[in-house]
Amino acid sequence: MKTIKDLDVKGKRVLVRVDFNVPRKGETITDDNRIVSALPTIKYLLEKGAAVILFSHLGKIKHKLSAEEVDVAKKKNNMVSIAKRLGELLGADKVSFSPDSSGPSAQKFVQMLQPGEVLLLQNTRYEKGEEKNDEALSKEWASYADAYVMDAFGSAHRAHASTYGVPAVLKAEGKDVAVGFLVEKEIEALSRCVDVTAENRPYVAILGGFKVSDKIKVIDALLKKCDKILIGGAMAYTFQKALGYEVGVSPVEVDQLDYAKRCFTEANGRIVLPIDSVYTDKFEGWTIKEVSPDANIPVGFEGMDIGPKTRQLFVKELAGAKMVFWNGPMGVFEQADFAEGTKAVAQAIVELPGVFSVIGGGDSAAAAAQFGFKDQFSHVSTGGGASLEMIENDGHLPGIDIIKE
Ligand code: ADP
Ligand code: MG
């Protein structure tokens, strides 16, 4: 696979798919980490004399909705605030912004772009054809560039026009396609979690968080690779329920109960579940907060975190691990009352001697940062869904595979 170091970009227009889908409150960017993370690739291309065209999605725009609703979504997810931040980071004189994502006005910005300058196109999802991997749209975007760089790991699991169609068109035309520094680093780290070697064992995966239906499929794949899977967070209740425990009003994925039971049985003791929970009467503003004596949560109550016995159990199960993949917090860590489980696990991971530790999940990364452990992990992936899918698909992601020769 080519990386940007293999490209000759002097005087050329290079189209870079970045992941600028940053968290925002209104117009304000609350965490610009994704923009900052893209800078090495952008700066490298500028230094080598390229004219750099950036494009990314931002938020969600559902084109099935009414024209008014689409307009509202477009306004909310206008890329202009991102362009402003990018200008602050790179120098405002270097950065221009195309308010359109395609068409004559965008083409004009592309034509005016000089080597050493950066152009950010409007949100790719302004286009109906983006998520459909539309051919005409892919060809239009491909026509802007002499080469394409994939540096949006968080979008690599999607075969959209900007992540798949465009490099496919350029490749067919004999033009260069490559991965950027960010994606190169992600592949390097996550490949270790996929192609597991003896020195990476024991290999322990920790799963948690809320998005059960998205994640539960990965368990099959992980069971083939890992020595052990520790399950906490909301996902655990589906397993507990499947095994016949009472879980009260804790979130359960009813249509995954059979799957959970099968996984647990087939895992033959390699799936480790909570043995106690911190439960409450109310998700926010609780009046009762208790620790269950075992894996049962009383009727009417909701599990919010793994309990102290489970913390001890998970720390014990982690001992000696040489590689850890962690996705999903152990509890509702955003509330201090239910953060202990996540904190204990994060701390236990970073204290393992000689461990290769990977976080693949936005909220898990936020939790690790909140507790001050983030910098001590070997790798913090920028793509939660993408990192899970990479493991699930044995190292394959559409947006990466298309770059490969
Ligand atoms: P990640 O972003 O790391 O992939 P998710 O997005 O799947 O993780 O899940 C993160 C969310 O899961 C957090 O907001 C957290 O509050 C929530 N969560 C964890 N445990 C529970 C629980 N027991 N009940 C409800 N929500 C939970
Ligand atoms: Mg999340």
Side-chain angles (χ1 to χ4, degrees):
M1 185 161 37
K2 277 194 183 135
T3 76
I4 49 172
K5 291 228 161 125
D6 301 313
L7 304 184
D8 173 21
V9 298
K10 196 171 161 53
K12 293 193 178 148
R13 290 203 181 95
V14 182
L15 181 59
V16 188
R17 178 56 161 95
V18 285
D19 180 2
F20 284 174
N21 185 30
V22 293
R24 295 159 298 150
K25 268 215 171 86
E27 293 278 280
T28 318
I29 296 166
T30 51
D31 179 1
D32 68 356
N33 183 39
R34 284 184 167 165
I35 305 176
V36 173
S37 305
L39 292 179
T41 290
I42 299 169
K43 284 185 175 160
Y44 174 86
L45 290 170
L46 291 175
E47 275 162 26
K48 295 285 169 189
V52 180
I53 307 164
L54 306 174
F55 66 158
S56 168
H57 76 282
L58 178 65
K60 287 197 173 88
I61 298 175
K62 293 190 179 126
H63 289 274
K64 271 185 246 155
L65 301 178
S66 73
E68 292 82 46
E69 284 167 309
V70 170
D71 271 349
V72 171
K74 282 186 174 175
K75 212 172 241 158
K76 189 176 155 209
N77 297 306
N78 192 317
M79 213 83 189
V80 66
S81 54
I82 313 290
K84 198 167 151 253
R85 184 76 193 104
L86 189 65
E88 287 162 9
L89 292 164
L90 282 173
D93 54 321
K94 274 201 197 132
V95 179
S96 57
F97 174 64
S98 163
D100 288 322
S101 38
S102 71
S105 119
Q107 290 158 16
K108 203 161 212 165
F109 276 99
V110 171
Q111 278 153 20
M112 285 180 348
L113 189 69
Q114 297 298 318
E117 294 176 352
V118 177
L119 168 66
L120 176 65
L121 298 178
Q122 183 60 276
N123 189 352
T124 55
R125 289 194 178 161
Y126 269 44
E127 305 285 343
K128 229 190 238 162
E130 157 72 332
E131 293 187 58
K132 292 184 190 147
N133 189 20
D134 179 72
E135 199 183 336
L137 178 64
S138 300
K139 282 186 173 157
E140 154 123 21
W141 276 334
S143 76
Y144 297 177
D146 306 302
Y148 173 91
V149 171
M150 174 56 171
D151 215 17
F153 183 75
S155 301
H157 57 313
R158 302 198 168 110
H160 292 172
S162 65
T163 55
Y164 192 87
V166 175
V169 170
L170 287 168
K171 243 170 91 171
E173 291 173 354
K175 302 210 171 112
D176 277 330
V177 297
V179 294
F181 292 128
L182 197 65
V183 165
E184 192 184 5
K185 208 168 76 188
E186 293 271 14
I187 295 175
E188 226 173 73
L190 289 163
S191 296
R192 283 175 75 164
C193 301
V194 176
D195 307 312
V196 189
T197 58
E199 69 257 32
N200 292 137
R201 293 199 183 277
Y203 172 19
V204 180
I206 308 172
L207 290 181
F210 193 74
K211 288 185 271 178
V212 179
S213 50
D214 286 1
K215 290 182 181 180
I216 208 159
K217 294 172 290 166
V218 83
I219 292 174
D220 267 334
L222 278 173
L223 277 172
K224 294 196 189 99
K225 302 187 187 300
C226 299
D227 299 294
K228 222 157 239 171
I229 306 178
L230 317 182
I231 299 181
M235 185 186 280
Y237 308 124
T238 298
F239 280 85
Q240 284 164 235
K241 173 117 184 159
L243 297 181
Y245 293 103
E246 174 62 51
V247 297
V249 293
S250 308
V252 166
E253 205 89 354
V254 192
D255 52 347
Q256 302 292 347
L257 289 171
D258 290 340
Y259 173 85
K261 191 161 183 190
R262 177 176 67 72
C263 278
F264 187 81
T265 313
E266 284 174 8
N268 230 331
R270 291 188 297 131
I271 289 182
V272 183
L273 296 172
I275 50 173
D276 62 350
S277 303
V278 182
Y279 65 84
T280 181
D281 58 333
K282 243 201 228 139
F283 189 83
E284 254 164 299
W286 56 267
T287 56
I288 296 166
K289 179 188 153 194
E290 299 279 356
V291 175
S292 65
D294 52 34
N296 293 293
I297 294 164
V299 176
F301 291 90
E302 181 171 359
M304 297 287 277
D305 192 9
I306 57 174
K309 279 194 284 192
T310 307
R311 294 205 294 266
Q312 269 185 9
L313 173 68
F314 283 9
V315 171
K316 198 187 96 207
E317 294 287 354
L318 276 165
K322 285 284 174 269
M323 186 155 77
V324 176
F325 176 81
W326 177 32
N327 177 295
M330 297 293 99
V332 186
F333 75 95
E334 297 92 337
Q335 300 185 44
D337 291 310
F338 309 106
E340 286 305 312
T342 306
K343 189 174 171 187
V345 163
Q347 179 160 9
I349 298 170
V350 299
E351 283 176 357
L352 291 169
V355 74
F356 183 73
S357 54
V358 175
I359 300 183
D363 291 294
S364 322
Q370 185 180 311
F371 305 133
F373 299 126
K374 191 174 165 186
D375 297 340
Q376 295 167 61
F377 279 81
S378 314
H379 182 73
V380 180
S381 177
T382 53
S387 64
L388 283 177
E389 256 181 62
M390 187 157 163
I391 293 176
E392 212 176 303
N393 302 334
D394 221 8
H396 292 286
L397 292 175
I400 308 292
D401 287 350
I402 190 71
I403 307 295
K404 290 182 188 152
E405 246 104 12

